[in-house]
Amino acid sequence: MQNKLHNRPQEEQEEITLGKTKDVAVGVPAITSSIQHMLKYMKPGEALKASLKINQKKGFDCPGCAWPDPDDDRSSVGEYCENGIKAIAEERTSKKITADFFTKHSVQEMSEWDDFTIGKKGRLTEPMYLPKGATNYEKISWDHAFKKLGDKLKNLASPNEAIFYTSGRTSNEAAFLYQLFVREYGTNNLPDCSNMCHESSGVGLSGTVGIGKGSVTLQDLHEAEVIMVMGQNPGTNHPRMLNALEKCKENGGKIIAVNPLPEAGLMKYVNPQSPLKILKGGVALSDIFLQVRANGDVALLKSLLKLLYDAEQKNPGTVFDLDFIKNKTAGYDALIENIKDVNALDLAIDAGVPFEKVEEAAQLLIENKKIIICWAMGITQHENGVANVQEIVNLLLVKGSIGKPGAGTCPVRGHSNVQGDRTMGIWESPPQSLLDKIESTFGFTPPQEHGYHVVDAIKAMHEGKGKVFFAMGGNFLSATPDTDYTAEALQKCEMTVHVSTKLNRSHLIHGQEALIFPCLGRMDDDVQESGEQFVTVENSMGVVHSSQGIFKPCADTLLSEPKIVAELAKATLGENSKIDWDNMVANYDNIRNAIESTIPGFENYNERVRQPAGFYLPNGSRTGNFTTSNNKANFTINEVPENKLQDKQLYMITNRSHDQYNTTVYGMADRYRGIKNGRRVVLINPQDLKELGLKHKQNVHIRSHYNGEERLAKNFTLISYPIARKTVGTYFPETNVLVPINQMAKRSHTPASKGIVISLEAAV
């Protein structure tokens, strides 16, 4: 049955209401919003208990972002942010979805609801099955469901016809078992959400400093003299990061914000944990705001590098760290040859930033050495996303600002364990060392051929090469590019399977057959044969720590993710498996022992992770021991991207609203940007609006252009907004339909959803 393809079920114009944009983040409004969400969706007693346990030592890890917790003392009443509270309110909602719900509502009917409505229906409680040609999901037993999927996998012509996706919510224990099963089954088809967000960071950092992770700790942010925040909106996406920026400011540090939008969280912050700071109205964060145009980052960074080079030439040895460059790096001469004759003014113009602002920022970099550069998807989701990251590394290396306290790289990861999943081996392109270790530890030879990343997986399904799609968490359709193409790909599968806590759109755009496996959430008690279990996660800064459920599950029928993997492995591999799956899940210590035997850095895993704050994984770039092929940190040459806009064309970037995390929509308002009652909006510079002959609040269609292909998204409201020139902002997933399947970052294959060429058409 062909259901509605779009992640935009209603295309009529929304009645958008506009309020005042904010220049202050968090504070009392965040406290009020948090309390309202908890009381609306949770029982008051549970809301209080959860607020006292979230992100605490021996508590549970927030199912939202991967921002690290303090190593030492933590706020006993507020070690969370507004979006963290929204995440736990979603997960611990009092609403439940049973088999009766699916009897009453057909897949076609549900597919016409918007994402907000779908997500608010409640927790899934029973495994469900959609037979071929059926209109409604129906109840199925766990045994029958595992047998059905296991038989399907066994009967494929090749294991490579199956695709196993992972979201960043999955724990270390579940992720390790999952990749182990998939590889014993016989494929490396392990695409994950990293492919769509920070893959460019991993590729760019691995080649330059030897590890695809950031080098800094939370304490480094406090000690930094300068922090650059690039392509990131911490006030919405990582609000607890604002605490670290505030401490940097209190210690005398300076902050440079680089972004097309003047986000509230980059301007001023009111710490909700301090009544005195609330009364004082907070602290100004950004000392300098560089309003870069879409994909102007390489031009901006190269302009800064040239200004630093000029200053170094005037006073040799006072700007660049020449000892560090000589002893720790390679490629310096080639870099200097590349930048010595460029024109810093022309580059600033290309970046869309006033030159005097660039000079002001350069002066801060000239005068200081403890420099941290933080970034998120505004840097990575470009065709030249890897080059963006490499140019960041260039700037840090000339200053010697990697491998020392208060300095380094800081890619700010999204979902709570997305970094840990990669550490556990969720990787379509695994290093040979991992495959060899799996073979020596478990006694089977894993597949050597690399598998599909996300975009290749979508193409394989669309071409009929991928016949079974299994998702360990996530909302694949809403997260991926080219929505219509991806929907068609999923519908061409013979079977789609989703392990989920809540209903989402991916359950409704399905293969010929479909299964839903309801699982425990981060806050749920996990009891196995040996008793109550805990899981572990890795945060953005490489700290591995425990997470312990605190509530009785909403239904006795829920299984944990490790248990689901083990039962699926038994149903698929049977007696041919080399692994005792029952023993693995009987006590998660057994999984951690297996991880210790396989993954470097996990020595004495069970002992160390029981320490209250967990432990740090080894990180050569943090200590200045670069594990590249030449044991040096490598400078790179990155060319400035060409501006490809034609007359009346603009670059579109996709953003989150403040009432959203990843694909989960918590509400229909964007408090900081003053937008209410809808999400189909286009933020556009007033001068661009005038030049195009369009008007504020006008209804328009958006058309994207790529290699002769055009894609259309209808009925959006234009909002005059102080965004960078020639750049428009929209929300995802509403405009994912405009992101071409073939437009992605070179080398990392990340969809380039921050640099889509579009034109606007007045709706008739």
Side-chain angles (χ1 to χ4, degrees), residues 268-449:
K268 194 173 184 180
Y269 168 55
V270 177
N271 190 330
Q273 297 176 355
S274 171
L276 181 60
K277 291 176 179 178
I278 291 174
L279 290 174
K280 288 183 176 180
V283 58
L285 290 181
S286 296
D287 297 278
I288 301 171
F289 175 46
L290 305 180
Q291 190 170 27
V292 66
R293 67 165 176 81
N295 204 20
D297 305 287
V298 170
L300 173 62
L301 290 164
K302 203 174 284 287
S303 181
L304 289 168
L305 269 171
K306 181 55 165 45
L307 291 173
L308 267 62
Y309 170 78
D310 291 343
E312 169 68 15
Q313 294 303 108
K314 291 178 182 177
N315 296 286
T318 63
V319 179
F320 287 4
D321 188 333
L322 298 180
D323 286 341
F324 175 87
I325 291 169
K326 178 182 178 181
N327 296 320
K328 294 286 188 177
T329 73
Y332 174 72
D333 291 341
L335 177 78
I336 296 305
E337 189 66 27
N338 179 256
I339 66 170
K340 68 178 184 179
D341 295 324
V342 301
N343 187 298
L345 172 60
D346 290 345
L347 288 167
I349 292 171
D350 190 16
V353 182
F355 188 51
E356 60 271 19
K357 285 287 187 181
V358 180
E359 290 180 308
E360 189 180 350
Q363 193 60 39
L364 278 183
L365 300 176
I366 289 167
E367 295 171 354
N368 296 282
K369 290 188 176 181
K370 290 185 176 182
I371 300 165
I372 292 174
I373 301 183
C374 306
W375 70 90
M377 287 179 282
I379 290 294
T380 61
Q381 291 182 327
H382 294 279
E383 288 180 282
N384 53 285
V386 174
N388 287 342
V389 173
Q390 291 179 160
E391 200 69 7
I392 286 171
V393 173
N394 283 343
L395 184 58
L396 291 171
L397 289 180
V398 297
K399 295 293 298 181
S401 294
I402 297 182
K404 65 176 61 172
T409 56
C410 185
V412 182
R413 307 285 177 172
H415 220 153
S416 62
N417 197 42
V418 62
Q419 185 160 300
D421 287 351
R422 178 57 57 85
T423 302
M424 291 297 104
I426 301 294
W427 201 349
E428 81 286 351
S429 304
Q432 190 61 44
S433 58
L434 173 64
L435 300 180
D436 291 344
K437 196 64 177 177
I438 288 173
E439 182 170 9
S440 64
T441 302
F442 297 101
F444 70 87
T445 302
Q448 305 296 298
E449 178 186 1

Side-chain angles (χ1 to χ4, degrees), residues 652-656 681-683 702 716 728-732 735:
M652 183 189 80
I653 59 176
T654 60
N655 302 287
R656 299 169 181 164
V681 298
V682 180
L683 307 181
I702 312 172
F716 284 74
V728 299
T730 61
Y731 296 132
F732 83 89
T735 52

Side-chain angles (χ1 to χ4, degrees), residues 17 58 72 106 114 146 164 178-179 280 304 341 498 507 579 593 620 643 712-713:
T17 302
K58 301 300 182 181
D72 46 20
S106 70
D114 61 36
F146 286 127
F164 298 90
Y178 187 43
Q179 64 83 30
K280 288 183 176 180
L304 289 168
D341 295 324
H498 295 272
H507 303 134
I579 298 157
N593 286 334
N643 191 326
L712 184 67

